[in-house]
Amino acid sequence: MSSTVPSSFKLSLLSFSILVTQQSFADDTQQLPTITVTAESEQSELSSEQSKAYIIQNSSTASKLNIPLKETPQTVNVLTRQQLDDFALDNTRDVLRNTPGIIVSNQETERTSYLARGFEISNVLVDGVGIPLEGYNYNNDNPDSFLFDRVEVVKGANALNNGIGDPGATINMIRKRPTSDLQTAFNASYGSWNTQRYEVDVSSPLTQDGKVRGRVFGYQQTGDSYLDRYELEKNGIGAVVEADVTDTTLLTAGYTETNHKPNGVNWGSNPLINTEGEQLSYSRNYNYSPSWAHWDSNIKSYFAELEQKLGGDWTAKLTYDEKRTQRDSKLLFLSGKPGANGTSGIFLYPGMYIDDNKEQQASLSFSGTYPLWGQRHEASLGYVWAKNRLDELGYAGSFVNPLTTDLASFTPEEPSWDMSKTSGEMHIRQKNQSLYAATRLHLNDDLKLLLGANYVQAESSGSSYGTDTIYDEDKVLPYAGLTYNFSPEYTGYLSYTSIFRPQTTRADDGSINKPIEGESYEVGVKGSWLDDKLTATMAVFRTEQSNYPLRDSDGIPTLRTTQVSNLRSQGYEFGLAGQLTDHFNLSFGYTQFSLKDLINGGDARTFNPTQSFNLLTTYQVPQLPKLKLGLGVQWQDQTYLDVPEATANGVITQKAGIIEQDAYALVNLMASYELNEHMTLQANGNNLTNEKYLFNFPNQQGFYGAPANYSVAVKFKY
């Protein structure tokens, strides 16, 4: 579908929005009554939304201790609410693409893998809550960022926050919370491919004394795509209530519900190599998926927190979270590789799936300080219980002719579905328990030692498409870190942390492989200047993963001596974020590493770039203080994947070849102008150089990213 929109329509849309907004305030001279707030939650004080900054000062995501990021002995990257708003990053994929050191691997339109330091990320948390992903670490969700205040990413393993998972990084999305004063916002935007988006957010005290506060928010988005036949409708609502039950007791409860309804979705993607070993190229908009293919989801989330201040500065916190995900899909997969003439051997495999997933998690924690050696030291301890139920029913479909001889132009009609029996089923039951403790010892005013441990017990039962998913494992995971303040501006640090992940894959002798284990070592220096408004991190790291079952994309399978190996990533990162001047904000990061197979030799996961660079920066023009200009850059190094020769009955069916993607940079621009204190106009342009690039291709399949595109928005606040 063409992305061309008449200029008159764009102007009419903007004019109408401006007229409506200005009219609503034309005669608004009434003063609101003064609201006295007697208590305010800790979450509100930590809100990046209120600070409007590109950094935050404190975080507990890495250590379970609410300590300054400057004194956290790991690399922590944060994308704040202001960054999300400035660059119109309205979904998790776009947020993470702009996070230093994170690679977003879109293997398909709906399923995504996130990678850091060469390793996939299985820990994606909300307010520190979540269960590691199953299987191949596909993120089937792409949560809308409008639900969150900020996104924090801790690099390396993370023994204390979530001892089960992969060692690359942990992603923690922090929910929006009610504010102590009245705040309303309405945003409307229009962009390429007829993309329309509307957002509403209202937060306010619910009682005159401000002891009860509430917030409601919602979004709606519709639009087509640069991909043929792909279109998306999504919406979501949320509500959060905080209540100061007493001067020492805070009760919080919230609910969100989201719907994601795409058509023309991928399952698998475009074959990128033919039987002669030659890389294939497509038009950027090419999408083999027919319009009947869909992958609809409904996600309901509930949470409740009870926070009680104890004696001294100690606090107890009791939490409960529940997430229910239901999906239904009709999908089409292409099996095989086309011949050199593009006409041979593509088999069409349709599938219908019904999913029901329920996650539950409860925790009890205590945090505070204690005196020792003439100093006060921070401490935290707690217990976490988590339960997960995954159920999936699969159904087969059939075509009159399941083969296609014209890959470039075919659009198959919907197949006949056989609902009389399932083609396969998944029924998995997981239970995780965790008991952790951490402390930071102030050895003197400048030297601090972090020590902690997490005892994790993980159980699983059931099966997935005929394969047992049974394990019962437990492990003690240590955490240690040391920080030293060389001066008020500079802090040096070193850390060690670990993680593990039970698995159900089997060795050559039929036994279940040992749990995957990961550990991270990091040494670095952090700097802080301009009253902590500007921060920097320089880190050298080594991250290891052992007992890992190799995939086809982890090197060349024909050269392996073992199917289970140890991987090592080592490299360095540099980051700079914050406010350079009163007018200049930025977030910058560069990462370089190498990933080696320690047993079989050679590089692993070469489809993953080993160098990447991210920049987000805005400048408010002093001569025009209401005008803000911004620049975003995403750059990554060259990637490739060796495809080995394949044979059947002694006959070569696939010649060896290579899939390559040259280094590329995406350049994004933004501009916003405050018409008055209530209304702002904003324009965003993405990939302005119109770079044609492939997303990652670990399975020898892939598709291209979006061409140059734009959006314009009217933002209203009060």
Side-chain angles (χ1 to χ4, degrees):
M1 177 175 290
S2 174
S3 62
T4 303
V5 179
S7 300
S8 58
F9 177 81
K10 301 175 192 176
L11 293 173
S12 298
L13 178 67
L14 288 174
S15 300
F16 177 77
S17 303
I18 294 170
L19 177 63
V20 170
T21 307
Q22 289 186 329
Q23 182 65 38
S24 66
F25 286 94
D27 302 316
D28 187 9
T29 58
Q30 183 181 357
Q31 298 293 317
L32 294 174
T34 300
I35 298 173
T36 302
V37 179
T38 59
E40 186 172 293
S41 74
E42 183 181 3
Q43 287 289 347
S44 296
E45 296 173 353
L46 297 176
S47 168
S48 74
E49 176 185 41
Q50 300 299 311
S51 70
K52 301 186 182 303
Y54 271 34
I55 58 173
I56 61 173
Q57 298 300 324
N58 288 21
S59 173
S60 60
T61 298
S63 65
K64 287 290 190 182
L65 303 169
N66 188 30
I67 60 177
L69 282 180
K70 182 183 176 181
E71 298 181 356
T72 299
Q74 285 182 262
T75 300
V76 182
N77 299 116
V78 182
L79 258 72
T80 65
R81 185 70 251 170
Q82 189 64 51
Q83 292 167 280
L84 307 187
D85 291 341
D86 284 345
F87 291 91
L89 307 177
D90 57 28
N91 63 79
T92 303
R93 290 179 184 174
D94 286 346
V95 173
L96 295 175
R97 276 196 191 97
N98 287 276
T99 303
I102 301 298
I103 300 300
V104 178
S105 177
N106 283 44
Q107 293 131 40
E108 305 162 323
T109 55
E110 308 312 305
R111 296 192 295 183
T112 311
S113 293
Y114 309 137
L115 301 102
R117 300 179 175 178
F119 299 101
E120 294 171 341
I121 302 172
S122 57
N123 281 333
V124 182
L125 315 177
V126 176
D127 284 351
V129 171
I131 293 178
L133 298 168
E134 284 292 313
Y136 283 79
N137 292 343
Y138 288 130
N139 286 269
N140 295 335
D141 304 330
N142 184 21
D144 198 286
S145 66
F146 192 63
L147 305 174
F148 305 107
D149 174 74
R150 64 188 182 274
V151 177
E152 301 179 8
V153 179
V154 178
K155 301 294 181 55
N158 195 352
L160 292 177
N161 208 312
N162 208 330
I164 301 178
D166 291 292
T170 295
I171 300 166
N172 191 17
M173 297 183 286
I174 309 299
R175 293 184 178 100
K176 289 180 175 179
R177 301 295 175 116
T179 58
S180 59
D181 55 354
L182 176 64
Q183 167 181 301
T184 63
F186 172 76
N187 306 322
S189 67
Y190 182 87
S192 299
W193 311 293
N194 194 32
T195 302
Q196 302 176 54
R197 182 176 171 91
Y198 306 93
E199 302 170 343
V200 177
D201 191 344
V202 180
S203 183
S204 173
L206 301 180
T207 60
Q208 189 170 4
D209 59 6
K211 290 187 176 182
V212 182
R213 303 167 293 279
R215 185 167 190 166
V216 294
F217 40 87
Y219 65 90
Q220 169 78 26
Q221 179 176 319
T222 60
D224 300 319
S225 168
Y226 70 97
L227 292 174
D228 295 334
R229 292 177 294 281
Y230 184 88
E231 57 184 16
L232 172 65
E233 176 184 356
K234 65 175 184 176
N235 56 70
I237 58 171
V240 185
V241 176
E242 286 183 343
D244 299 315
V245 181
T246 70
D247 291 341
T248 59
T249 306
L250 174 66
L251 176 64
T252 307
Y255 168 80
T256 61
E257 180 174 352
T258 61
N259 293 285
H260 192 85
K261 298 180 178 180
N263 293 324
V265 302
N266 289 160
W267 187 34
S269 195
N270 304 330
L272 294 179
I273 196 167
N274 64 24
T275 55
E276 296 297 311
E278 302 165 333
Q279 183 169 342
L280 299 175
S281 179
Y282 302 87
S283 63
R284 189 155 31 188
N285 62 305
Y286 175 72
N287 177 24
Y288 73 81
S289 295
S291 55
W292 54 261
H294 67 269
W295 208 328
D296 297 348
S297 65
N298 172 268
I299 302 176
K300 298 181 176 70
S301 296
Y302 313 80
F303 79 95
E305 301 173 352
L306 182 64
E307 192 171 320
Q308 178 64 53
K309 294 182 179 179
L310 307 174
D313 57 3
W314 280 83
T315 300
K317 190 173 184 179
L318 179 66
T319 72
Y320 176 79
D321 289 77
E322 182 174 311
K323 178 181 177 182
R324 180 77 177 276
T325 302
Q326 294 177 300
R327 291 191 180 89
D328 70 84
S329 59
K330 292 180 178 179
L331 306 172
L332 180 65
F333 189 84
L334 301 187
S335 179
K337 293 184 175 63
N341 58 4
T343 61
S344 65
I346 297 295
F347 184 84
L348 310 180
Y349 177 78
M352 176 188 290
Y353 299 91
I354 300 173
D355 296 83
D356 191 353
N357 182 14
K358 184 178 181 180
E359 301 175 30
Q360 297 169 277
Q361 183 162 317
S363 69
L364 176 63
S365 63
F366 300 88
S367 60
T369 66
Y370 60 96
L372 185 67
W373 308 322
Q375 299 267 7
R376 295 202 69 84
H377 315 274
E378 300 91 348
S380 176
L381 67 157
Y383 168 78
V384 180
W385 171 91
K387 185 178 180 181
N388 192 18
R389 186 199 74 198
L390 300 97
D391 294 297
E392 181 176 273
L393 303 178
Y395 299 93
S398 60
F399 293 103
V400 175
N401 183 4
L403 289 169
T404 179
T405 58
D406 190 1
L407 179 62
S409 64
F410 90 106
T411 307
E413 300 292 330
E414 186 171 349
S416 300
W417 301 103
D418 182 4
M419 305 298 292
S420 63
K421 60 182 184 301
T422 62
S423 59
E425 299 184 19
M426 176 177 63
H427 303 283
I428 302 175
R429 304 292 183 265
Q430 294 174 295
K431 181 181 176 182
N432 299 337
Q433 297 184 84
S434 170
L435 185 64
Y436 68 87
T439 186
R440 185 170 75 152
L441 300 172
H442 295 239
L443 304 181
N444 58 42
D445 290 342
D446 296 317
L447 184 62
K448 302 176 180 72
L449 175 65
L450 278 79
L451 295 172
N454 191 356
Y455 171 71
V456 180
Q457 184 183 51
E459 302 175 23
S460 177
S461 62
S463 64
S464 177
Y465 291 85
T467 301
D468 290 340
T469 55
I470 300 172
Y471 56 76
D472 188 352
E473 302 283 350
D474 64 280
K475 193 174 181 65
V476 176
L477 301 162
Y479 182 97
L482 190 69
T483 65
Y484 182 76
N485 297 322
F486 295 105
S487 69
E489 293 81 20
Y490 296 99
T491 298
Y493 71 91
L494 55 88
S495 65
Y496 165 81
T497 182
S498 57
I499 206 165
F500 91 123
R501 184 174 185 181
Q503 58 179 327
T504 58
T505 60
R506 294 186 178 274
D508 293 337
D509 62 3
S511 62
I512 295 177
N513 286 315
K514 297 178 180 178
I516 300 171
E517 298 189 7
E519 51 188 12
S520 298
Y521 306 83
E522 189 168 321
V523 179
V525 177
K526 296 187 179 185
S528 179
W529 308 275
L530 305 177
D531 294 328
D532 294 331
K533 293 180 180 179
L534 181 67
T535 63
T537 301
M538 185 168 61
V540 179
F541 62 84
R542 188 178 79 186
T543 301
E544 299 180 348
Q545 191 176 42
S546 57
N547 304 324
Y548 179 80
L550 296 170
R551 305 173 191 169
D552 288 348
S553 55
D554 296 316
I556 302 177
T558 54
L559 301 181
R560 295 175 189 160
T561 59
T562 64
Q563 294 302 309
V564 175
S565 189
N566 303 332
L567 305 179
R568 174 183 290 171
S569 167
Q570 53 188 22
Y572 61 89
E573 294 191 16
F574 174 76
L576 183 67
Q579 193 173 14
L580 279 174
T581 70
D582 291 341
H583 307 284
F584 190 18
N585 285 291
L586 88 160
S587 174
F588 158 82
Y590 173 79
T591 302
Q592 181 172 336
F593 69 93
S594 64
L595 184 68
K596 301 294 185 180
D597 185 330
L598 299 184
I599 295 179
N600 298 287
D603 297 326
R605 300 177 186 169
T606 56
F607 62 86
N608 184 32
T610 57
Q611 297 184 74
S612 62
F613 165 90
N614 294 81
L615 173 68
L616 294 176
T617 182
T618 59
Y619 181 71
Q620 286 187 288
V621 183
Q623 295 78 10
L624 295 169
K626 295 183 178 181
L627 176 64
K628 180 193 291 186
L629 304 175
L631 168 68
V633 179
Q634 305 158 44
W635 175 87
Q636 68 173 52
D637 198 9
Q638 179 188 28
T639 59
Y640 69 94
L641 182 66
D642 286 312
V643 181
E645 180 181 273
T647 62
N649 300 320
V651 178
I652 297 175
T653 58
Q654 164 72 58
K655 292 183 179 180
I658 186 171
I659 302 171
E660 296 179 285
Q661 169 61 57
D662 293 335
Y664 66 88
L666 304 181
V667 179
N668 309 320
L669 295 178
M670 66 83 58
S672 67
Y673 188 81
E674 294 184 9
L675 293 180
N676 54 49
E677 61 178 322
H678 300 298
M679 186 169 31
T680 299
L681 301 181
Q682 181 167 319
N684 290 82
N686 302 310
N687 190 13
L688 295 184
T689 60
N690 204 32
E691 188 77 31
K692 184 179 181 181
Y693 64 96
L694 281 168
F695 290 117
N696 286 8
F697 33 81
N699 301 313
Q700 306 175 25
Q701 298 176 314
F703 68 103
Y704 300 97
N709 61 93
Y710 78 94
S711 67
V712 292
V714 178
K715 298 184 176 183
F716 163 85
K717 65 179 181 180
Y718 188 74

